[in-house]
Each structure stands twice: as structure tokens, then as C-alpha cells.
Amino acid sequence: MKKILAIGLVLVLVLGMVACGGGGEDTDADVPVYKAITEATFPPFDTVDENGNVIGFDMDLIAAIGEDQGFKVEFVDMGFDALIPAIESGTGDIITAGMGITEERAEKVDFTDTYYDSALIVVVAADNETINSVDDLTADMKVASQIATTGAGKVESLLADGKIKEAVILDGFDACMLQVINGDVEAVIVDEPVANAYMAKQPGKVKTVGDVMDAESYAFAVQKGNAELLEMINTGLQNVKDNGTYDELVMKWIAGETE
Ligand code: ARG
């Protein structure tokens, strides 16, 4: 009986603490805040709202993981080519940028478990009738992609193989899309879900052609050797998958948007 009372008392105390923690800001001093870094011209994964706040699937997902694991995140927007150096130097804690795992990157940062499967696709102006796949690109054409991305790697390898005239490497994906719409470049190579989201938001401007290429899986990344943070993110990711939050976020940002 005494035991039951004691357990009851402990329960009341624990519940009381949980309630306080959830309701007020009083315990926030103990909650670590990690800098989640991204490049925010990549909707639906990474973008900014009308007030300049960084939002997107990646932000909601890492925030949900943090809630599960007891950490908070603050978002910082920077060049895509600056992300890995920022992790290496410790000015950022977690890359949340629709970044695909590659061998080269994995030498510099530690990747978490994957959270989204993607692939590259060719995007052309909606009225382009000559390019129906990557094989229709020719040695007189310019093709754009975002700096330091897997898409840029693809464009650069097409150039190295003599298949296109120029690789136009730009800072943001929004700029790439504008170039193809304006006719400055013949095509853009970008992640397929990002192309789909663009077409859903701006119908009639661009279209995707051909099959997807070069499958990749997105993961978060932390500084090499930060096993503690890596483990927290992996555990939290599994938990938000198990409790349905992950599926809700896919519906909110990706599947629901492009249907
Ligand atoms: N998935 C591609 C890559 O890993 C493109 C990512 C671009 N992300 C961004 N936030 N701009 O290179």
C-alpha cells in the first residue's frame, strides 16, 4: 500500500513537471538549441515565408524530431556551397537542406538515417517541343543548376562529356527556374519533387521531361564524430515515423501540394 502511494506521488510529481515544461518557458534554459542550416530556395523542403522565416518540410521534420528528443532548433539560411564548411567549422550544427548522401560529402560530415528518396529530372520551358529527355540536350545548349548540388554535378558531367555548351551554375534554384522561363538556358536539372512543387505553384511555365536520373536519399548531417546528436536525430526520426507525424508532414508539404 505504501509502495502504491509512493508510486502515485512520483507520478503526480512527474506529470506536474511535464505539464510545467510543456506550458511555460521556465525550463527552456535547459533545452539545447541547435543551429539548423539550409539554403532556402528549395521548396517544398526549404523556403521562406512572406515574413522571411525559413519554413518547409525539413524545418517541420527537424523541429518534430527536436520536440521528441528534447532539443530546439533555430534556422539559418546560407549558400548551399557554404553548408558543409559551416558544419566542419562548427558554425552550424545540423544540415537540413534536402541534401542527398554522396560519398564525397560523407567524408566531411556524418549523415543521419535517410528521410526522403529523390532523384534528378530535366526541366524545360513549358512550350519547349524539342527536348523530351536528357538525351535531347545538344552541344549548343546551356543548362543550369544550383551550385554544389547533385544537379550541378550532373550538368558539369554533361559538359565534360561534350554533350552541352555551357554549365550555368547559380546560387539559387529560383534563379535557375527564371533562366529557363526567360530562355537564357535551355534546361535546368533539379530534384524531381522540387520541380513538381514549382509546376504546382506556377502552372504553365515549365515542365519536366524524360525519366528521373541519379536516385539519391536525403539525410540530415552533423559534424563528424558528433555521435550524440546523430543518435538523437536518428531515434527522433524513427519515433516521428512511428507516431504518424512524418506522414502528416509529407502530406502537408509534398504529396498534398502536388496532387
Ligand atoms: N538534393 C540535391 C543535393 O543534395 C539538392 C539539394 C538542394 N537543397 C537546397 N536546400 N537548396 O545536392
Side-chain angles (χ1 to χ4, degrees):
M1 185 62 183
K2 256 193 189 154
K3 210 173 185 179
I4 292 175
L5 270 179
I7 292 172
L9 191 63
V10 167
L11 259 183
V12 166
L13 280 174
V14 167
L15 285 178
M17 276 157 64
V18 168
C20 287
E25 303 298 317
D26 46 345
T27 56
D28 275 9
D30 309 330
V31 178
V33 181
Y34 291 115
K35 269 205 183 81
I37 59 177
T38 194
E39 191 283 331
T41 67
F42 199 64
F45 298 96
D46 318 296
T47 186
V48 284
D49 68 12
E50 58 278 6
N51 301 316
N53 300 309
V54 178
I55 59 163
F57 177 79
D58 289 343
M59 284 70 236
D60 280 2
L61 182 57
I62 197 68
I65 290 169
E67 197 167 314
D68 182 79
Q69 292 293 301
F71 66 81
K72 292 201 165 184
V73 275
E74 96 190 8
F75 300 112
V76 184
D77 187 8
M78 58 178 75
F80 193 78
D81 55 335
L83 295 171
I84 287 182
I87 292 295
E88 289 183 297
S89 70
T91 51
D93 299 306
I94 311 170
I95 296 179
T96 54
M99 182 176 274
I101 298 177
T102 68
E103 253 175 54
E104 199 189 329
R105 290 168 177 167
E107 283 170 13
K108 299 176 179 157
V109 293
D110 281 346
F111 282 106
T112 65
D113 295 338
T114 64
Y115 64 84
Y116 201 80
D117 292 331
S118 185
L120 299 174
I121 191 88
V122 176
V123 175
V124 298
D127 58 1
N128 185 313
E129 299 297 335
T130 52
I131 303 170
N132 295 307
S133 87
V134 69
D135 299 324
D136 294 332
L137 298 173
T138 53
D140 56 349
M141 292 181 180
K142 296 181 184 176
V143 182
S145 195
Q146 184 182 30
I147 189 163
T149 60
T150 48
K154 183 78 182 177
V155 173
E156 277 151 3
S157 83
L158 290 170
L159 178 69
D161 293 347
K163 298 213 167 119
I164 58 172
K165 181 174 87 180
E166 194 179 325
V168 178
I169 305 301
L170 303 171
D171 284 339
F173 265 122
D174 46 357
C176 297
M177 293 303 195
L178 285 181
Q179 289 235 339
V180 82
I181 291 166
N182 293 339
D184 297 327
V185 300
E186 274 77 15
V188 167
I189 296 184
V190 62
D191 302 39
E192 193 204 21
V194 171
N196 289 342
Y198 194 90
M199 292 187 295
K201 280 253 153 65
Q202 323 241 11
K205 304 232 158 153
V206 296
K207 63 182 178 186
T208 57
V209 292
D211 298 329
V212 293
M213 313 167 283
D214 300 13
E216 65 178 81
S217 293
Y218 299 166
F220 303 111
V222 302
Q223 195 168 47
K224 273 229 156 290
N226 192 344
E228 196 190 341
L229 183 54
L230 198 71
E231 178 65 32
M232 275 201 282
I233 296 173
N234 284 338
T235 307
L237 178 59
Q238 191 56 53
N239 289 345
V240 301
K241 279 188 175 173
D242 292 345
N243 71 19
T245 304
Y246 177 89
D247 288 338
E248 277 168 29
L249 294 180
V250 169
M251 207 22 97
K252 172 181 172 189
W253 288 103
I254 307 167
E257 285 286 296
T258 50
E259 252 161 26

